[in-house]
Amino acid sequence: MSSNAPPKLPLKIFRFYCSEERLEELEGDLFEVYNEFIQEQGTRFAKLFYLWIVIRSFRSFALKRTKMKNSKINNSLTILKHNLIIAWRNLTKHKATTAINVLGLTIGIGAFLAIVRIVQFELSFNTEIPEKENVYRIYTSFTGSFTATNKGVAVPIGPYVEQNFSGIDAVAYFHTYSAAVEVPDGEETNKDFGRQSQLVIADSSYFQVVGQYKWLAGNPSTALSDPFKVVLTDEQAKTYFGHESWLDIVGKKIIYRDSLNLFVSGIVKQPDYNTDFVFTDIISFPTIKNSWLKDRFDSDQWGNTNSSSQLFVKLEPNVNRADILMQLEDLDKHVQEQTGDTDWFQHYELLPLDKLHFNTDISTFDNGRDAAHLPTLLVLGVVAFAILLIAIFNFINLETAQSTTKSKEVGVRKVLGSPKRQLIGRFLTESMLISFFAVLLAVPLAHYGFIYFDEFIPDGVSMDFSDPIFWAFLGGLVVIVGFIAGIYPSLVISSYRPAIVLKSSRSAKGLGGSFIRKALILLQFLFSQLLIVGTIAVVWQISFMLDKDLGFKEDGVIYFYTPYYESYNKQKLITDEIETMPEVLDISIQNTPPVQNGYSTSTVKYDSPQGEVVTNAHRKAGDTTYLRFYDIELLAGRNLIPNDTLPELLINETFMKDLGFDDPRSAVGTTIEFNDENHTVVGILEDFHFRSLHHPIEPMLYLYEDKASCIALKVKTGDQLQSTINKLTDKWAEVYPDNPLKVYFMDETIERFYETEKKTSKLASTATGIAIFISCLGLFGLISHTIVQKSKEMGIRKVMGASILQIGSILSKEFILLILFAFIISTPIAYYFISKWLEDFAYQTNISWWIYVLGGLASMFIALASIVVKVWKASEANPIESLRYE
């Protein structure tokens, strides 16, 4: 082409719309037109004309391309509409099969939704806290004469870390606290808000480390710098002062525990995401030294570790965690020098913030949310997917079994020219439609499941219908479940050869993949039997723990605590009042009942002939009625005698053995060092369980103390119990009008030890029921289809004199063999996981072999019941109907 050729750049636009050959033709045409125009009109007009040609051509091609696209879209929509209509007709035609499919998937998806929501909720804690990857908790572990962990640290540890550690961006040492709260209402009275348990005493460094708060009022740098200041979260500020403006609330007074007057210095917004830092009142740290709080929190004892004393650090970016661990080892040595203890040692450990919510050994905070057990969440996740898979397997089984009813449709469609991908789309549309209805019904099922299981669903778990991500997840679930459940049956059905399936004389037997169906049935009952045996084992262990003799009598025992800061004379007054109540059979004063959630231990030394014995013993104290009240047996020696000059104590049998004695009588009179003072062992107690059966019995000692705060009563049970508590409440109100009575039941305290196991049992029972129900639905559908396929065979056998039992055995033989095979596979798997679970308990029930057999028999009985119902109904049919020529 000459230099007068039109520019080539605009022609590149057409490459998207036409081929290279057409592009060359277009370029040549434009070139000719362009040269002619130059000769007649001049270069300027030729270029304008050329531009007009380009625009018109581009518009023409664009319109053509758009019409092609619209045609394809319209064609796709037409096919989709056609597939939906055919799918709907097919579903309504086979109502029983549709109901089984939808019901099975609904239950499976509903259970999956509920469990996944719980797991997702627990896993979401602390994940959105800014710079969480640099935040760590420092906690204490103990070795030596005893081994333990504590979520807290000694009070001097925080300032030491702040002053001596390198690589630390900020240090937050604070104290968790709870107290009764009152707010003046301007009318010489105070609004009482009861005991608030989410209080914390901290300085401004707390907000630097835990960067989850947004300030709404107040100065972050000075809000906690002065004593008698408090920062509130927005929700707590509304609780105390209503919906006043934030600036109006700043400066107002709040009274903590009757006499601690604090003034609001700031308001922060509590984040809307899940976090373990749910403190509502942040009290300024200088308040400790300037108030009576110093008696509780201002300690210089390096060896005094309290769980309320917390220490968190925020590392500088790119700091190596190993460097901090080395500095913690130096801290261990420094603390050892300060305490001078050689029998036991304190070590300081680092816990990443992202593991705070899952460390069940030390938990989160005092009065905080319970730590989630990560292995349990993993098991829940596996159970959720197992239930969903069982539901999907059930769907696949039924669809492949029903494939013969669709074979002629496939044959006709293929003869008329339908490609395989169109046939797959036709049957996937049907499975997607079933999945849609199942998900739609599963949402309310999961929602009401949360209500039914409310007692062990974590606080805050719910179906968030306002969250668009939730609906996106449901949409994805419809597609994924519909595709997974429908792809195999669709591939099977669309693969039929029309020449075969259109022969009316050709039996459809063998079409639809019988091997796959058998494998899926096997998996269904494998999961079901694992759940059945697992549930039996959990229930068995819980019953064992609740029924086991603990070594003391807990029947009819209630207890309560008197305020520790009140005068002992008030306690004496209330006990005198109680002793006049005829409903009270016995009374005992003690520091704690035999079993409780917490515990107190001390180091004890004994000079034996073989050398010094140092051990750690649990401490209990109370008056001399303790043994009689709980019916604890004395193996040797005598009970304690009130004595201030000659300290005495009782020890349990385990403690005696740790000291090196085999005979209880020989241990009586032994002198041991306790609290830097010699004590005489005057009696040996028979071992009793003072902790849950997760733990073995450990050394324990009992001291005399007549001014302990716990009062235990043995009362008449039955209908009189509530009236006794009401009368007790009235007498309590006369002595302690400002402190509500909180009564504890001994049997409930023991049961609370096993809350996790009870929740697991209920969940496992429900999961087992769901799995069995879905499996039986599938089995019911499959046996129905089998009966239809073998209707002529059944008719012939009935005519020839076969009994119902013989016909039933023929129809159910295949399923029974599959269930037996599932039992053989599931037994060793169940044995392994049950054994691993029982390792968490020091005292275990005996899981006998017959429990595994019982699980298999239960699964077989349930399956047979499903089969028998359908076989019986089929056997009652008239054989003439089934033998009639079609």
Side-chain angles (χ1 to χ4, degrees), residues 548-569:
K548 188 177 183 341
D549 183 10
L550 300 178
F552 64 91
K553 299 296 184 184
E554 74 273 13
D555 299 335
V557 175
I558 63 174
Y559 62 96
F560 51 89
Y561 292 89
T562 58
Y564 67 91
Y565 48 84
E566 293 284 4
S567 168
Y568 171 70
N569 293 330

Side-chain angles (χ1 to χ4, degrees), residues 398-472:
L398 288 176
E399 284 299 294
T400 52
Q402 294 287 335
S403 61
T404 53
T405 62
K406 302 174 183 177
S407 58
K408 285 187 170 56
E409 177 190 348
V410 172
V412 172
R413 285 178 179 272
K414 281 195 171 186
V415 168
L416 294 176
S418 292
K420 185 174 181 178
R421 67 175 183 276
Q422 201 171 76
L423 291 172
I424 293 174
R426 145 77 182 93
F427 296 112
L428 274 180
T429 301
E430 189 171 314
S431 67
M432 291 285 183
L433 195 60
I434 292 174
S435 176
F436 172 76
F437 289 130
V439 170
L440 201 64
L441 295 172
V443 172
L445 181 67
H447 173 71
Y448 287 107
F450 285 147
I451 298 174
Y452 176 71
F453 292 103
D454 179 64
E455 71 272 16
F456 76 94
I457 297 295
D459 292 337
V461 176
S462 63
M463 290 294 179
D464 190 359
F465 298 112
S466 62
D467 186 2
I469 297 177
F470 171 75
W471 293 106

Side-chain angles (χ1 to χ4, degrees), residues 284-298:
S284 62
F285 206 83
T287 305
I288 294 176
K289 289 186 178 295
N290 291 273
S291 69
W292 45 261
L293 288 173
K294 62 178 177 289
D295 297 331
R296 178 172 178 179
F297 296 114
D298 192 20

Side-chain angles (χ1 to χ4, degrees), residues 12 15 32 161 218 304 309 359 381 388 399 423 496 511 513 546 624 678 884:
K12 291 182 179 180
R15 294 186 188 277
E32 292 178 6
V161 170
N304 186 3
S309 178
N359 194 310
L388 184 60
E399 284 299 294
L423 291 172
Y496 292 162
L511 299 175
L546 294 178
T624 58
N678 289 331
R884 182 175 296 168

Side-chain angles (χ1 to χ4, degrees), residues 171-451:
V171 178
Y173 44 92
F174 54 91
H175 301 283
T176 57
Y177 183 51
S178 63
V181 175
E182 296 178 282
V183 174
D185 62 1
E187 299 178 0
E188 298 183 356
T189 58
N190 298 329
K191 287 183 180 178
D192 185 6
F193 291 93
R195 178 168 292 274
Q196 300 295 311
S197 59
Q198 301 299 334
L199 315 182
V200 64
I201 305 171
D203 61 15
S204 56
S205 62
Y206 169 80
F207 295 105
Q208 295 174 350
V209 174
V210 187
Q212 66 180 22
Y213 301 97
K214 177 184 177 183
W215 282 81
L216 303 175
N219 188 335
S221 60
T222 61
L224 296 176
S225 58
D226 296 326
F228 306 110
K229 300 295 183 181
V230 61
V231 173
L232 304 176
T233 61
D234 52 344
E235 292 300 321
Q236 192 74 339
K238 291 177 184 177
T239 300
Y240 291 158
F241 301 104
H243 292 276
E244 297 185 33
S245 69
W246 305 132
L247 292 177
D248 290 339
I249 293 174
V250 172
K252 292 200 170 184
K253 184 169 75 171
I254 304 175
I255 304 169
Y256 294 85
R257 226 197 80 180
D258 297 330
S259 60
L260 186 62
N261 298 321
L262 304 182
F263 298 89
V264 180
S265 59
I267 309 290
V268 294
K269 180 174 178 57
Q270 181 73 8
D272 54 5
Y273 50 80
N274 291 326
T275 170
D276 285 310
F277 296 88
V278 291
F279 305 115
T280 56
D281 306 47
I282 300 101
I283 301 170
S284 62
F285 206 83
T287 305
I288 294 176
K289 289 186 178 295
N290 291 273
S291 69
W292 45 261
L293 288 173
K294 62 178 177 289
D295 297 331
R296 178 172 178 179
F297 296 114
D298 192 20
S299 172
D300 59 357
Q301 298 297 314
W302 291 82
N304 186 3
T305 303
N306 193 301
S307 61
S308 67
S309 178
Q310 296 291 301
L311 176 58
F312 282 76
V313 296
K314 182 180 179 182
L315 307 188
E316 294 176 351
N318 302 319
V319 168
N320 192 337
R321 185 171 177 266
D323 294 339
I324 305 300
L325 292 174
M326 291 178 62
Q327 295 180 73
L328 286 176
E329 290 179 5
D330 294 336
L331 174 61
D332 295 346
K333 298 175 184 176
H334 178 76
V335 173
Q336 186 64 29
E337 293 171 358
Q338 297 298 316
T339 61
D341 289 312
T342 58
D343 302 318
W344 57 277
F345 307 93
Q346 295 173 204
H347 306 280
Y348 296 95
E349 313 284 350
L350 271 185
L351 179 71
L353 182 59
D354 59 4
K355 295 183 179 178
L356 175 69
H357 189 69
F358 308 105
N359 194 310
T360 54
D361 292 334
I362 59 175
S363 192
T364 54
F365 301 103
D366 290 348
N367 301 315
R369 179 184 285 273
D370 292 335
H373 191 233
L374 204 54
T376 299
L377 293 179
L378 179 62
V379 170
L380 282 177
V382 171
V383 168
F385 279 101
I387 291 174
L388 184 60
L389 284 176
I390 288 173
I392 291 174
F393 292 165
N394 178 63
F395 179 89
I396 294 173
N397 271 335
L398 288 176
E399 284 299 294
T400 52
Q402 294 287 335
S403 61
T404 53
T405 62
K406 302 174 183 177
S407 58
K408 285 187 170 56
E409 177 190 348
V410 172
V412 172
R413 285 178 179 272
K414 281 195 171 186
V415 168
L416 294 176
S418 292
K420 185 174 181 178
R421 67 175 183 276
Q422 201 171 76
L423 291 172
I424 293 174
R426 145 77 182 93
F427 296 112
L428 274 180
T429 301
E430 189 171 314
S431 67
M432 291 285 183
L433 195 60
I434 292 174
S435 176
F436 172 76
F437 289 130
V439 170
L440 201 64
L441 295 172
V443 172
L445 181 67
H447 173 71
Y448 287 107
F450 285 147
I451 298 174

